[in-house]
Amino acid sequence: MSILTVSNLTKQFGGLVAVNSVDMAVEKGSITAVIGPNGAGKTTFFNLITGVYQPDNGNVQLGSTSLVGLKPHEISRHGIARTFQNIRLFSNITVLENVMVGLHKQLKAGIVGTLFQTKKVREEEQLAKEEAYHWLEYVGLAKHLNEDAQNLSYGAQRRLEIARALATKPKLLLLDEPAAGMNPRETRELTEFIHRMREDLDVTIVLIEHDMKLVMEISEQIFVLDHGEKIAEGKPAEIRNDVKVIEAYLGKSAVTPA
Amino acid sequence: MNKLTSKLKGNKLAQIILLVLYVLITSLSLYLAQASVTAFLLLLFSLLLLYYTELPDRLKWLIAGVVLIGVIPFVSSTGPGYQSYMEVATVVGIYVAMALGLNIVVGLAGLLDLGFVAFFAIGAYTYGIFATGQAANFMPFGTFPLSGESFWIFILIGCFVAALFGVLLGIPVLRVKGDYLAIVTLGFGEIIRIVFNNLDKPVNITNGAMGLASVKPPEIFGYQFVYPNQFYFIVLAILFLVILAVRRFEFSKIGRSWKAVRENEIAAQSMGIHLVRTKLLAFAIGASFSGMMGVVFAAKQTFVDPTSFTLLESITILVMVILGGMGSVPGVILGAAVITILNLQVLTEVTNYLNQLSLDGVISFPEALAPAKMQRFIFGAILIIFAIYRPQGLIPSKNPVFDEESLKEGSKKHRKEKITVEPDKGFQA
Ligand SMILES: Nc1ncnc2c1ncn2[C@@H]1O[C@H](COP(=O)(O)OP(=O)(O)O)[C@@H](O)[C@H]1O
Ligand SMILES: [Mg+2]
């Protein structure tokens, strides 16, 4: 059963067609990769799914609900969370509070409750702190809880982004180049961690990634974009030998001998 | 000196004793010396010292309450400067509340607002119109002016009307960001002032540039509030509630969503935060504080006209926030107090002193450097010095510190059975 169904998705920036009639079906519970050269339209594709951009054409469906026209916060409420290629943390607040923001939609406190600090609001707030702390433990950042997010190391910032996304309890998690800037050891840990998340949390994962070793090792299904178009899809073994993919990555000369 | 501070650190008893001594000495000198501005300022300074002591929060609040409610009004009541001190303290309180309101918009939600005084004006006119005969011009029923007893309800009405205008302003304004937001809010501030200035025709609602005179003073059980020493307590009470509210908002779901929006709009939205609602709430709550103080202002001055609500006022409030420390409640309180006291007391005193000197022929100033002109110059110089040496503000904002031990215990309830957590091990499974 597919959890995410994308059909005929198109987005233009002026004359540039960043995403061109892309169809895609992501299996529930799978780990799926979206790959392609720089500028292929992968991030734009994520932005279309999460409502940061509105598509010019086509449809995005989560289960049986269409997401087209919804605002990013509504899409988050439907159960999609993401991380960003260029890390977007709340830099000047603490690590714990970053994750607490992820709990935003499950907290009920309103203006009046906050003003009067009702028992319910205080309890809810305490639970939120504990839960946020729990997510920090899960990604291994617990001891950094009181640091400003901007003071974390690069790898730790990426983990915090994941913790924050997990706090929203997503059905579908989109990771935009999670291994970018990581050393081989960190990348290996990340690979295991992605597997672990899927097992632990019943979450479907779609990731954009350049590290081919990671991609081939981790994903069950791969989609390849180039110049906004989907040029291939299939299992890792199929993609590895796909002529079009090799061409897109290495240029035409790699497949047609001069 | 260093030795002294290191000794004091951690020794709460010594801190209390020193603080009490300080308050006693300054109070006594204010009590005995007739109209000593220095003593008055030093006494106010005790509140800052109090902030830096390491006493428990409750005790701090208690001491601050005693100083503000008891000591300050009492010891300054003997001299001829009584009402002028109380006037200064009252105006400080009004500005502190406004600066705290603007701090929500600028400091917490990160929305640069250059027209903030508009909400103060709205509060002032709301009371001014109904507490003078003015309302009779357009209200089909009721007798005006309303009695001074309506003042208390008007604090709430002013609060809500200002909040409403905060939302109305927000709706068009939230389409723009950053510098453009600043320009649009600046326009809004001017529009409100100009509307008040011209709304004397076709129906005379605001009495235009003439302003509203003889605004009814507040009254309760036949007791009238007319003098600054009486308004002082009204302002103090409202201010207490405002600070309490700000504190509670700041460290709540709502405050976090403001900060998230300030830090990164796209990420905030992808966490499920409703961008427009969050920003409108910041505008509304920030504006409401100003609206309340506007009502008090109208009652205190007994006169309202558009010239009190110029762009310069908006900028002054913004300066208080930035100078004090954006997003920092204690900082903004200090910033508002420093700027107001500089403007009302210190710089005027300096000017008077210099004028006196030149009258006595001790020094003579060329026309271009007349002390009255110097006043703004000194003010500007002080701002520049602060901006250079304390770019984060007088008391920079601080993030909360969470107690790890208590969270460690509680986090276990959130663990699903199959999740295994190995703290601090990073991604290593
Ligand atoms: N907001 C935008 N405005 C204009 N062009 C954009 C915008 N976002 C992306 N693009 C363009 O769309 C193309 C695809 O970009 P992107 O989706 O970031 O690629 P990828 O993530 O695959 O490297 C690029 O040519 C990029 O310059
Ligand atoms: Mg990208």
Side-chain angles (χ1 to χ4, degrees):
Chain A
M1 194 189 72
S2 68
I3 182 170
L4 181 75
T5 318
V6 173
S7 50
N8 197 25
L9 197 66
T10 303
K11 178 71 188 177
Q12 286 189 311
F13 294 112
L16 177 85
V17 191
V19 173
N20 194 355
S21 310
V22 170
D23 295 309
M24 205 176 277
V26 175
E27 279 300 299
K28 188 167 188 305
S30 69
I31 295 177
T32 301
V34 176
I35 63 170
N38 271 326
K42 306 178 297 293
T43 298
T44 305
F45 178 70
F46 271 15
N47 284 336
L48 289 170
I49 296 174
T50 53
V52 175
Y53 298 144
Q54 288 300 325
D56 297 322
N57 206 347
N59 195 13
V60 179
Q61 261 183 303
L62 183 71
S64 55
T65 32
S66 171
L67 302 180
V68 175
L70 297 187
K71 294 262 160 51
H73 70 266
E74 294 169 317
I75 290 174
S76 155
R77 279 155 207 246
H78 277 92
I80 299 184
R82 69 177 289 187
T83 64
F84 298 87
Q85 179 179 352
N86 47 342
I87 299 174
R88 289 177 180 272
L89 287 171
F90 309 124
S91 313
N92 289 302
I93 63 177
T94 62
V95 167
L96 189 79
E97 286 170 299
N98 265 270
V99 184
M100 288 172 83
V101 174
L103 299 167
H104 181 85
K105 63 188 171 187
Q106 81 182 47
L107 303 182
K108 301 280 181 292
I111 300 178
V112 179
T114 305
L115 272 180
F116 290 97
Q117 286 291 298
T118 55
K119 187 152 175 273
K120 227 165 98 191
V121 166
R122 274 180 289 137
E123 282 172 359
E124 179 186 84
E125 186 73 6
Q126 179 61 27
L127 279 175
K129 283 178 203 160
E130 291 166 0
E131 187 175 344
Y133 186 79
H134 157 73
W135 288 116
L136 287 182
E137 287 180 320
Y138 190 60
V139 300
L141 287 176
K143 67 170 186 290
H144 298 284
L145 83 163
N146 282 319
E147 278 169 47
D148 284 6
Q150 63 186 357
N151 295 340
L152 292 180
S153 70
Y154 189 77
Q157 292 196 3
R158 289 223 170 267
R159 281 191 260 165
L160 179 54
E161 264 207 329
I162 294 179
R164 187 179 68 175
L166 290 178
T168 70
K169 309 208 175 42
K171 291 184 240 169
L172 177 65
L173 178 61
L174 310 178
L175 306 173
D176 196 344
E177 304 202 11
M182 287 189 172
N183 63 34
R185 187 178 62 88
E186 284 174 320
T187 307
R188 213 167 44 246
E189 287 165 12
L190 175 71
T191 313
E192 287 168 31
F193 181 72
I194 292 174
H195 272 299
R196 193 150 69 91
M197 274 198 289
R198 191 225 338 230
E199 302 308 313
D200 290 345
L201 307 169
D202 291 324
V203 64
T204 308
I205 295 168
V206 179
L207 64 139
I208 294 172
E209 194 41 70
H210 282 303
D211 187 311
M212 279 310 135
K213 184 166 172 295
L214 188 156
V215 168
M216 292 301 166
E217 201 175 305
I218 207 170
S219 37
E220 283 128 22
Q221 185 77 356
I222 298 175
F223 294 91
V224 189
L225 296 185
D226 188 28
H227 292 109
E229 292 182 37
K230 184 179 78 179
I231 55 168
E233 71 172 277
K235 306 226 172 314
E238 295 162 2
I239 295 299
R240 197 174 283 143
N241 302 317
D242 191 293
V243 179
K244 272 186 169 164
V245 177
I246 298 168
E247 212 179 274
Y249 270 91
L250 303 176
K252 258 201 157 52
S253 56
V255 264
T256 39
Chain B
M1 187 68 203
N2 271 340
K3 224 168 148 188
L4 187 69
T5 43
S6 67
K7 256 202 185 131
L8 269 178
K9 200 157 244 165
N11 189 344
K12 288 183 191 164
L13 190 68
Q15 290 173 4
I16 289 202
I17 293 173
L18 274 179
L19 187 73
V20 170
L21 265 177
Y22 180 87
V23 172
L24 271 181
I25 292 169
T26 50
S27 313
L28 214 63
S29 46
L30 183 59
Y31 190 75
L32 297 177
Q34 307 263 304
S36 160
V37 178
T38 322
F40 177 67
L41 292 181
L42 286 175
L43 180 54
L44 278 184
F45 187 71
S46 70
L47 292 171
L48 186 63
L49 291 182
L50 175 68
Y51 171 75
Y52 280 113
T53 59
E54 290 159 342
L55 308 176
D57 276 354
R58 266 167 206 277
L59 188 60
K60 280 189 190 178
W61 277 101
L62 191 74
I63 296 176
V66 169
V67 170
L68 284 169
I69 298 172
V71 178
I72 289 181
F74 176 70
V75 298
S76 55
S77 68
T78 50
Y82 183 36
Q83 292 302 348
S84 75
Y85 291 150
M86 287 292 107
E87 169 74 16
V88 170
T90 307
V91 176
V92 167
I94 291 177
Y95 275 112
V96 167
M98 279 204 279
L100 285 172
L102 185 60
N103 182 47
I104 289 183
V105 180
V106 181
L108 295 185
L111 306 162
L112 188 50
D113 184 346
L114 287 182
F116 196 66
V117 81
F119 304 117
F120 186 53
I122 286 167
Y125 270 94
T126 304
Y127 184 61
I129 288 172
F130 289 94
T132 58
Q134 191 62 25
N137 291 336
F138 61 92
M139 289 291 286
F141 52 84
T143 47
F144 300 97
L146 297 175
S147 80
E149 285 181 343
S150 67
F151 171 82
W152 312 103
I153 303 167
F154 264 90
I155 293 181
L156 276 186
I157 297 177
C159 170
F160 281 113
V161 172
L164 182 71
F165 272 86
V167 172
L168 289 181
L169 157 76
I171 290 170
V173 151
L174 292 180
R175 298 174 164 275
V176 294
K177 278 183 199 162
D179 307 347
Y180 295 96
L181 178 70
I183 293 169
V184 175
T185 51
L186 186 153
F188 174 80
E190 287 299 280
I191 287 172
I192 292 284
R193 187 176 59 81
I194 292 166
V195 165
F196 284 146
N197 202 26
N198 290 288
L199 215 60
D200 50 352
K201 47 190 178 303
V203 186
N204 187 354
I205 296 177
T206 63
N207 208 24
M210 307 272 288
L212 305 165
S214 319
V215 178
K216 283 266 174 192
E219 194 180 325
I220 193 164
F221 306 127
Y223 178 83
Q224 278 202 338
F225 291 71
V226 203
Y227 298 108
N229 68 321
Q230 298 165 312
F231 277 101
Y232 174 79
F233 289 101
I234 299 178
V235 168
L236 211 54
I238 299 179
L239 194 57
F240 173 74
L241 295 179
V242 164
I243 294 176
L244 198 69
V246 171
R247 277 293 188 192
R248 288 180 168 182
F249 278 125
E250 187 183 358
F251 302 112
S252 71
K253 173 195 171 186
I254 295 171
R256 273 194 304 276
S257 62
W258 286 334
K259 292 179 204 163
V261 166
R262 173 191 73 192
E263 296 292 317
N264 197 311
E265 283 191 7
I266 290 183
Q269 282 178 291
S270 78
M271 294 296 113
I273 289 174
H274 193 306
L275 200 60
V276 174
R277 190 184 295 160
T278 305
K279 288 183 179 181
L280 287 184
L281 195 61
F283 270 120
I285 292 177
S288 69
F289 298 162
S290 266
M292 284 195 273
M293 283 309 186
V295 172
V296 177
F297 178 77
K300 182 175 83 67
Q301 304 298 101
T302 69
F303 177 72
V304 186
D305 82 339
T307 58
S308 311
F309 312 111
T310 56
L311 176 61
L312 185 63
E313 286 297 310
S314 291
I315 291 178
T316 305
I317 304 169
L318 186 64
V319 166
M320 293 169 176
V321 174
I322 295 173
L323 179 102
M326 278 211 268
S328 153
V329 171
V332 168
I333 295 175
L334 180 63
V338 166
I339 298 280
T340 315
I341 291 173
L342 264 181
N343 272 333
L344 288 184
Q345 277 283 342
V346 179
L347 290 178
T348 10
E349 289 288 329
V350 170
T351 314
N352 290 346
Y353 178 70
L354 292 177
N355 272 335
Q356 195 56 46
L357 284 186
S358 71
L359 276 183
D360 296 347
V362 180
I363 24 173
S364 73
F365 294 100
E367 174 58 21
L369 293 178
K373 290 182 182 162
M374 295 271 282
Q375 189 171 332
R376 302 318 295 170
F377 175 81
I378 297 172
F379 183 69
I382 291 175
L383 291 191
I384 292 173
I385 291 169
F386 275 132
I388 292 173
Y389 290 101
R390 302 232 53 156
Q392 300 295 316
L394 293 173
I395 306 177
S397 82
K398 267 192 294 206
N399 281 326
V401 179
F402 301 98
D403 171 35
E404 186 168 3
E405 288 312 310
S406 77
L407 296 181
K408 226 174 232 171
E409 199 43 46
S411 87
K412 289 188 189 126
K413 342 189 226 290
H414 300 279
R415 242 168 254 175
K416 288 188 196 158
E417 266 160 46
K418 53 182 171 177
I419 297 185
T420 48
V421 170
E422 289 163 79
D424 307 331
K425 250 188 99 187
F427 280 147
Q428 296 132 314

